[in-house]
Amino acid sequence: MKLGVVGGSGLYEMEGLEVGKLERVSTPYGPPSADYRVGRYQDVEVVFLPRHGVPHSIPPHRVNYRANIFGFRELGVTQILSISATGAVNPDLKPGALVLLDQIVDLTSGRETTFFDGPRIHHVDFTVPYCSEMQDIIEMAGKETGVPLQRGGTYVCTNGPRLETAAEIRLYSGFGADVVGMTGMPEAVLARELEICFGALSVVTNMAAGLTVGRLTTREVVGSMRDAHKKLSVLLTGSFRSLCLRPRSCDCGSALRDSSL
Ligand SMILES: [Zn+2]
């Protein structure tokens, strides 16, 4: 199983990871956010993509999610791990917490959300939006490396780029949301449409609007992400080999079966 990781640009600076070549991929949907970084960790190959480009210049609503996911497939990636910064809606979560997501509420608009715009049409099952096998492996890596993480969490995806109002966060809390972010969709469903396993690890960088006093600042987000980098690196490198060497017995690889009329 070849692994792709999509996330912040600092993620490929990890101990023991050698980033070899850059791969430029062209797709029918336009260019991906950046060249893909092909890295090697011990004996496995991992492909990285900085979602917001290099330098960080593409806002969440402008990311070409279709090109990014399609490009991974062109490189032979069969599972993608998404890393993203989120705000805590659940007051029990605190900045620095890692959450292995298991559900999504999609509130985005105006984004290209499918590879099947017709005449070929598929309605993929999305009851369980993330690959449970990837979750099992990352949870196990957390236990083995001593990096605490919460398994299970509902992610609300907003369109951005503005942050949320306090009333919106109260509403999302009523949805049962744990965290809020701007990039989780349509990334997850596009991977499902290409029958790629998709897992997501959310880094809580701040408390969401209304759960903290004062204004939310991007400095706070960037600072928390930097603080979380060390444990994220330990967790990810602890997961890479198991993810790449696992036999695939989940349903992700047959997501299109029985999904067309
Ligand atoms: Zn899977």
Side-chain angles (χ1 to χ4, degrees), residues 104 113-115 124 126 184-194:
I104 303 172
T113 58
T114 181
F115 289 110
V124 287
F126 209 45
M185 284 294 283
E187 227 172 51
V189 74
L190 292 170
R192 178 66 52 86
E193 285 190 347
L194 294 186

Side-chain angles (χ1 to χ4, degrees), residues 1 78-79 130-134 192 195-198 246 248-253:
M1 296 284 291
T78 48
Q79 56 185 337
Y130 298 109
C131 174
S132 57
E133 276 188 10
M134 291 183 73
R192 178 66 52 86
E195 301 186 326
I196 295 172
C197 291
F198 190 88
R246 76 182 167 109
R248 193 189 210 185
S249 53
C250 53
D251 293 334
C252 310

Side-chain angles (χ1 to χ4, degrees), residues 25-38:
V25 180
S26 58
T27 84
Y29 308 99
S33 294
D35 292 343
Y36 293 79
R37 272 81 177 145
V38 181

Side-chain angles (χ1 to χ4, degrees), residues 6 27 29 32 36 49 64-75 77 80 82 115 186-196 198:
V6 58
T27 84
Y29 308 99
Y36 293 79
L49 181 69
N64 190 340
Y65 295 98
R66 290 199 297 185
N68 287 354
I69 300 297
F70 193 89
F72 273 119
R73 193 182 70 167
E74 291 295 280
L75 294 173
V77 165
I80 295 172
S82 161
F115 289 110
E187 227 172 51
V189 74
L190 292 170
R192 178 66 52 86
E193 285 190 347
L194 294 186
E195 301 186 326
I196 295 172
F198 190 88

Side-chain angles (χ1 to χ4, degrees), residues 180-215:
V180 61
M182 300 175 191
T183 56
M185 284 294 283
E187 227 172 51
V189 74
L190 292 170
R192 178 66 52 86
E193 285 190 347
L194 294 186
E195 301 186 326
I196 295 172
C197 291
F198 190 88
L201 195 58
S202 148
V203 182
V204 174
T205 53
N206 56 280
M207 301 308 288
L211 298 183
T212 182
V213 284
R215 232 156 48 96

Side-chain angles (χ1 to χ4, degrees), residues 13-17 41 230 233 237:
E13 291 147 19
M14 294 180 202
E15 212 169 305
L17 185 82
Y41 181 75
K230 173 76 183 163
S233 295
T237 49

